[in-house]
Amino acid sequence: MADRVSQSTQLSGWWLTFIFILPEYTLLDPSIKKFIPLIYDFMGKIPASIVIVFLVTDLYRFFESLTKRTMALNKLTSFILICFLATGSFYAEAQEKKTESFTQTIRGKVFDQKSKAGLPGATVMIAEIDPVIGTVTDEAGYFQLEYVPTGRINLRASYLGYEPTSIRELIVTSGKEVVLEIAMAESLEQMNEVIITEGLNSVDAANEWAVVSARGFDMEETNRYAGSRNDPARMAQNFAGVSGANDSRNDIIIRGNSPTGVLWRLEGIDIPNPNHFGALGTTGGPVSILNNNLLGRSDFLTGAFPAQFGNATAGVFDLTMRKGNAYKREHLFQIGFNGLELGTEGPLGVGKNASYLINYRYSTLALMQGLGFSLGTGNGVPYYQDLSAKVDIPTTNFGRFTLFAVGGKSTIDLIGADMDSSSTDLYSEISQNIYNSAKMGVVGMTHTSYYNPSTYGVISLSADYSFSGNIVDSLSSETRDPAAFYRNHYGLSKYRAQYQFHRKVDSKNNYTIGVNYDLLGFNLQDSIYRGAMDRFVTLRDMRDFSGLAQGYAQWQNRVNSSWTITAGLHYQYFLLNGSQQLEPRAGISYQHTPRSSFQLGYGLHSQLQTLPIYFLEVEDSNLPGIRSNEQLGFTNSHHIVGGYKYQITPSIRLKVEAYYQHLFDVAVESHPSSLSMLNAGADFGIPDVDSLVNAGRGRNYGLELTLEKSFSGSSYFLLTASLFDSKYQGSDAIWRNTAFNSQYVFNGLFGKEWQIGSKNRILALDLKSTLAGGQYITPIDLAASRAANEAVFQNNLAYSVKNPAYFRTDMKITYRVNKKGLTHEWSLDIQNVFNNQNIFRQTYNPIMEQIVESYQLGIFPIPQYRLTF
């Protein structure tokens, strides 16, 4: 019976494929069009009970056959199309009400890009609508456009003495008003219109100081790309120069650098690792705490970044949270891979334009695993929850006040005792039971004072806390009985005060000066059982405070309409050991023609070691409590980047960048060895190594190409190619590959939208393929591992064996429906659609006494539903 049901669903699926493609063929033969309403009407009359039976039956058989690639693909096709069959009634309804149309309100603020002052009397209009919809901004720069039809529109802002700005292909839905912040640059002379792209097409960084290696993005882009899981870090893996460490985490590798070199910022404040299950000292995790539904216009920088950013050597995620709607209460319900989510926003009732924004999310992975989804966690079930909020209060005489908070906690038990001796997964160890818990939270307040139309200052106060706790029990290879092996309790707190002063001198010159101080609190305890001593040995026992002071100054001069020069200095001082560093930064941009430009950037960038490294105690009974790493200084890196941009058409651009990085003062062992902290972050934690010195080196160089079509004409594409080499030198003075030297990454993304019946119903298809070189690994010594009953690596051959290339294709299908006052959105994101077997890692299995390979996630469908109203 089950076979007959499955066969019928497959036949229905292929028939439905033809139905979805059929409307496109009406462009060639309009006579076909008259039959479509009849087919949609028939689909709408299919009883829901039959659809549910088909769907549940096929779900079961689909996951049952995942181990066989051919059968998996056949079942996958059926599963996808039956999901669309479940929404067939919407198509029938679309035909019955195809004349119904909906409108929405667009509101926002127009302001000077440099001084942030509102521009009164600016014109904002939507030209292609008949009749034209337009308005002018009020005395504070605010505007409102009413009765804007749903769909995609092009909006234009203009102001006397400023370069006109166009926002292209802005999406307008019936379930949520559009709130914009439009920055305008003062004209130096009469110039052609400069087109920036907000909403779905943001590509230029919002940070005007970033000359090279910078990319803007927003919420819609994070939602759109296949395989991104609504995660800004996974989304950024599609950009040139960036690759992912593995499918199990969202760590990002920038130009061969360790993920630990990435700085996360939120609302202008440095924050700790914003990911669930994140180990202290790392910057990634399996699931992001950051809620993409709250993201505003944000930047991602990959090298030679401006002087305002410090304590990072690889890149910067500079994130902002959008403002809530200050005139109407709006709500969100969403369920999918990232969890069950509820959100609300609206006017705060404290003065004009004040708003609040809050979202709560609870994990649904237990439900997904119960349905048969393999999460790569074996029998372990991840649990997590997080909360994000923002309050924005602009005032007439006292500036703008902003409060924000983000926090999350997570737990998982990875029980190796429950694993089969031949099984592998992405997180568990067959020789250990691991009980993990993690927490992260940050709360901040900023006050922006507008001293005059050309000068403002920002005071920020924040507090954050991150915690990681692990209980690890080793398992006997014979009896499988647990024995205590490792315990840790890592807590880090930070209290920050910072001030930024910005002045726009004239239309050509502006500068900014900033200082900040971090009061760092440590609560670090961990110990490990040493069999030779038959006792636990303390690795860390630190409860204390220290501090990090930073300051910067940067200046920008727009020499003329072609040349722009920036220069700056960043300074850091670490109170724990007196380490300090002065870092020059500079950038030049030359607009060669209206379509082409050249860029050149340089920066010296420095970063502290991962903080727990400083407090590691030497394992020597004769030297109890000695911290041999406490005097470690900064790791330093020179960045040199040259770039070229060419705007082929208003929506298609080519970008080429070449770079060289020289890293020095890298932490390595004091005796000759292959170890280098440049490879920290290749695994789930940071290595515990004492007696380190700043004597290592490294180098990264490469070429990056980007060909991108912003969303226009119902489609977009993004093609990136990254060719690079990443080497390091340990204290043995031998140049080796780093753990992140995959040498090449190619990405191809494509997306298209179709109107179904009316402009209120949109079907979208997004595709992504990635081909990347395999990463280098250190081989395991099998004989030594058998003798030690644990993995023993051949460190003299560190990172000499290259894994096979990584290939993965993702596909996402989205269906969006506008109703009066609300918007439904269904999506199915199928990751690794061809079920390609990409190697994850090699481990030693003490039960089998063999080296075993584990693989990354196979085919992995992620359904999601979102309702805004």
Side-chain angles (χ1 to χ4, degrees):
M1 174 62 181
D3 287 337
R4 287 197 295 271
V5 172
S6 182
Q7 291 170 7
S8 67
T9 58
Q10 290 186 49
L11 290 173
S12 300
W14 288 113
W15 169 76
L16 198 56
T17 302
F18 176 72
I19 297 304
F20 280 115
I21 295 175
L22 187 61
E24 292 300 300
Y25 284 94
T26 62
L27 298 176
L28 300 178
D29 186 0
S31 64
I32 300 176
K33 190 172 183 179
K34 63 183 179 181
F35 296 105
I36 296 178
L38 299 176
I39 298 171
Y40 286 159
D41 183 66
F42 171 73
M43 293 165 58
K45 290 180 171 57
I46 298 175
S49 57
I50 296 178
V51 173
I52 293 172
V53 170
F54 281 177
L55 182 58
V56 173
T57 304
D58 225 45
L59 267 172
Y60 171 77
R61 296 183 59 80
F62 169 70
F63 289 110
E64 187 179 43
S65 64
L66 280 180
T67 56
K68 298 180 180 179
R69 180 177 299 187
T70 302
M71 292 180 66
L73 291 176
N74 289 336
K75 294 294 180 181
L76 176 62
T77 302
S78 176
F79 172 67
I80 297 169
L81 297 173
I82 289 300
C83 284
F84 281 106
L85 181 60
T87 63
S89 60
F90 293 115
Y91 291 93
E93 186 180 352
Q95 299 304 310
E96 294 170 2
K97 300 183 178 181
K98 62 183 180 180
T99 60
E100 188 173 9
S101 62
F102 305 106
T103 62
Q104 189 54 274
T105 297
I106 299 178
R107 66 177 82 249
K109 184 178 182 180
V110 180
F111 58 91
D112 183 283
Q113 183 185 46
K114 306 295 184 183
S115 69
K116 311 304 179 186
L119 298 178
T123 300
V124 182
M125 61 185 302
I126 304 171
E128 75 273 15
I129 295 178
D130 187 17
V132 173
I133 298 177
T135 188
V136 295
T137 58
D138 64 15
E139 66 279 0
Y142 291 97
F143 70 91
Q144 177 174 310
L145 299 174
E146 297 181 323
Y147 306 111
V148 179
T150 56
R152 292 188 179 272
I153 58 98
N154 296 326
L155 184 144
R156 176 186 170 91
S158 59
Y159 189 66
L160 183 63
Y162 281 73
E163 298 168 4
T165 297
S166 293
I167 304 176
R168 303 170 61 86
E169 298 290 343
L170 179 68
I171 188 168
V172 180
T173 65
S174 58
K176 187 176 189 330
E177 293 187 347
V178 179
V179 181
L180 300 174
E181 292 189 294
I182 304 175
M184 300 189 69
E186 189 172 358
S187 297
L188 296 181
E189 57 186 74
Q190 187 63 36
M191 297 175 60
N192 293 328
E193 178 179 351
V194 177
I195 297 178
I196 68 167
T197 50
E198 300 284 345
L200 292 175
N201 300 320
S202 54
V203 293
D204 294 322
N207 189 323
E208 68 270 22
W209 303 95
V211 175
V212 296
S213 303
R215 174 62 151 80
F217 66 94
D218 60 12
M219 177 186 74
E220 293 298 336
E221 193 166 12
T222 309
N223 285 335
R224 182 203 308 153
Y225 291 157
S228 66
R229 302 187 188 178
N230 299 335
D231 182 343
R234 295 183 192 272
M235 179 273 298
Q237 293 174 9
N238 299 301
F239 299 154
V242 183
S243 61
N246 54 68
D247 292 347
S248 66
R249 297 168 58 87
N250 63 6
D251 298 275
I252 57 172
I253 300 166
I254 299 175
R255 296 175 172 174
N257 290 284
S258 166
T260 61
V262 176
L263 171 67
W264 286 93
R265 283 167 60 98
L266 183 64
E267 294 292 304
I269 294 173
D270 299 359
I271 63 172
N273 182 356
N275 291 283
H276 290 294
F277 310 102
L280 212 64
T282 64
T283 60
V287 181
S288 176
I289 292 175
L290 299 171
N291 192 308
N292 72 299
N293 287 311
L294 275 65
L295 283 183
R297 186 94 150 85
S298 302
D299 290 340
F300 178 60
L301 302 96
T302 57
F305 27 90
Q308 67 198 91
F309 303 113
N311 200 25
T313 55
V316 179
F317 261 110
D318 190 16
L319 305 175
T320 63
M321 299 173 71
R322 65 181 179 85
K323 299 177 177 62
N325 193 330
Y327 293 88
K328 180 183 177 183
R329 299 197 188 280
E330 297 175 327
H331 313 287
L332 165 77
F333 170 82
Q334 179 174 298
I335 185 169
F337 173 83
N338 286 345
L340 174 65
E341 183 175 335
L342 300 173
T344 185
E345 62 183 280
L348 194 60
V350 181
K352 187 177 180 181
N353 296 312
S355 65
Y356 71 88
L357 181 68
I358 183 168
N359 275 55
Y360 171 76
R361 181 172 56 184
Y362 188 82
S363 114
T364 54
L365 295 183
L367 173 62
M368 296 184 69
Q369 192 166 42
L371 290 173
F373 288 78
S374 174
L375 305 175
T377 58
N379 293 324
V381 179
Y383 292 97
Y384 59 85
Q385 56 184 315
D386 51 63
L387 178 73
S388 302
K390 180 176 180 178
V391 174
D392 182 68
I393 307 174
T395 67
T396 303
N397 300 317
F398 301 102
R400 177 184 294 271
F401 295 87
T402 300
L403 301 171
F404 71 94
V406 173
K409 63 179 183 178
S410 54
T411 61
I412 187 171
D413 296 339
L414 302 170
I415 309 301
D418 294 340
M419 297 175 61
D420 181 80
S421 62
S422 60
S423 67
T424 58
D425 61 57
L426 301 182
Y427 305 93
S428 302
E429 297 285 352
I430 196 169
S431 60
Q432 295 177 336
N433 291 341
I434 303 173
Y435 307 88
N436 172 268
S437 62
K439 299 176 184 178
M440 175 268 181
V442 57
V443 59
M445 179 192 75
T446 65
H447 176 226
T448 304
S449 299
Y450 301 96
Y451 304 126
N452 57 55
S454 62
T455 309
Y456 69 90
V458 182
I459 297 175
S460 300
L461 301 174
S462 68
D464 64 60
Y465 177 74
S466 55
F467 167 80
S468 176
N470 287 280
I471 297 174
V472 181
D473 294 335
S474 60
L475 298 173
S476 167
S477 56
E478 291 83 18
T479 65
R480 307 296 287 159
D481 291 333
F485 174 66
Y486 177 74
R487 304 288 187 267
N488 85 339
H489 179 287
Y490 287 172
L492 286 178
S493 59
K494 182 177 76 207
Y495 303 92
R496 164 170 282 209
Q498 68 181 42
Y499 176 72
Q500 175 189 351
F501 176 85
H502 186 108
R503 177 171 174 77
K504 177 183 175 181
V505 180
D506 52 38
S507 62
K508 291 186 175 184
N509 294 277
N510 70 106
Y511 66 89
T512 182
I513 300 171
V515 293
N516 56 265
Y517 179 77
D518 296 333
L519 177 63
L520 305 173
F522 314 104
N523 186 4
L524 308 172
Q525 297 94 40
D526 63 341
S527 58
I528 190 169
Y529 179 78
R530 298 301 189 193
M533 304 179 185
D534 192 26
R535 66 180 178 86
F536 269 86
V537 174
T538 297
L539 299 180
R540 295 173 187 83
D541 187 7
M542 179 67 175
R543 298 176 182 85
D544 206 346
F545 289 90
S546 187
L548 175 66
Q550 300 180 71
Y552 67 89
Q554 51 192 11
W555 162 81
Q556 183 180 76
N557 175 245
R558 299 172 67 192
V559 180
N560 52 43
S561 60
S562 298
W563 289 92
T564 301
I565 300 173
T566 64
L569 287 172
H570 188 97
Y571 175 75
Q572 299 188 80
Y573 181 81
F574 188 33
L575 273 67
L576 180 71
N577 56 26
S579 298
Q580 58 183 326
Q581 189 66 51
L582 183 64
E583 308 162 17
R585 316 281 175 87
I588 300 175
S589 176
Y590 171 57
Q591 191 75 35
H592 179 240
T593 70
R595 290 190 176 188
S596 63
S597 62
F598 295 88
Q599 303 82 35
L600 181 64
Y602 163 77
L604 173 60
H605 304 276
S606 305
Q607 184 177 25
L608 291 174
Q609 310 305 317
T610 300
L611 289 175
I613 289 293
Y614 289 95
F615 308 111
L616 181 67
E617 298 181 6
V618 176
E619 290 189 44
D620 188 336
S621 58
N622 298 319
L623 300 170
I626 297 298
R627 304 186 184 108
S628 59
N629 295 336
E630 203 165 39
Q631 295 303 313
L632 283 171
F634 291 89
T635 293
N636 299 298
S637 177
H638 290 292
H639 290 202
I640 301 175
V641 184
Y644 172 73
K645 296 179 183 178
Y646 183 72
Q647 197 74 33
I648 301 172
T649 71
S651 61
I652 300 177
R653 73 164 186 169
L654 172 69
K655 180 180 178 181
V656 181
E657 285 195 340
Y659 65 89
Y660 181 82
Q661 297 178 359
H662 171 65
L663 297 103
F664 59 101
D665 293 337
V666 178
V668 296
E669 290 188 288
S670 56
H671 63 272
S673 79
S674 62
L675 184 137
S676 171
M677 293 306 289
L678 290 183
N679 297 310
D683 208 340
F684 292 103
I686 302 299
D688 288 328
V689 184
D690 59 33
S691 304
L692 296 176
V693 294
N694 292 105
R697 294 191 295 167
R699 62 171 182 252
N700 304 317
Y701 59 89
L703 178 68
E704 300 165 1
L705 294 93
T706 299
L707 181 64
E708 180 171 15
K709 176 181 182 288
S710 300
F711 197 100
S712 63
S714 301
S715 67
Y716 73 91
F717 65 76
L718 173 63
L719 305 174
T720 64
S722 305
L723 306 173
F724 65 97
D725 191 58
S726 178
K727 294 288 200 300
Y728 80 97
Q729 191 180 69
S731 54
D732 59 4
I734 298 174
W735 283 100
R736 294 180 170 88
N737 297 293
T738 68
F740 312 105
N741 190 22
S742 59
Q743 297 179 319
Y744 64 88
V745 181
F746 301 100
N747 290 301
L749 294 88
F750 170 79
K752 183 170 176 57
E753 289 186 356
W754 294 269
Q755 291 184 10
I756 305 297
S758 73
K759 66 188 300 183
N760 291 315
R761 298 170 184 274
I762 301 295
L763 178 67
L765 174 67
D766 299 278
L767 300 172
K768 170 195 170 182
S769 283
T770 296
L771 174 64
Q775 295 182 355
Y776 283 92
I777 62 172
T778 301
I780 296 174
D781 187 325
L782 181 58
S785 298
R786 287 172 173 169
N789 201 36
E790 64 179 6
V792 177
F793 293 91
Q794 302 179 53
N795 290 318
N796 61 316
L797 300 176
Y799 306 108
S800 61
V801 176
K802 189 174 180 62
N803 278 336
Y806 174 100
F807 177 73
R808 181 176 126 180
T809 297
D810 303 326
M811 179 175 69
K812 183 178 181 180
I813 302 173
T814 304
Y815 178 54
R816 185 171 62 247
V817 179
N818 285 313
K819 296 285 188 179
K820 186 175 182 180
L822 55 86
T823 299
H824 301 277
E825 184 176 287
W826 297 263
S827 65
L828 181 63
D829 192 350
I830 306 162
Q831 303 189 3
N832 197 5
V833 68
F834 297 123
N835 200 32
N836 199 59
Q837 299 298 296
N838 295 303
I839 192 169
F840 174 47
R841 63 177 176 176
Q842 287 186 349
T843 56
Y844 175 70
N845 187 316
I847 298 176
M848 300 174 61
E849 295 189 338
Q850 294 292 332
I851 298 173
V852 297
E853 293 182 341
S854 56
Y855 292 87
Q856 316 244 28
L857 288 176
I859 189 169
F860 190 57
I862 300 176
Q864 178 178 287
Y865 169 72
R866 180 166 61 171
L867 173 67
T868 55
F869 59 99

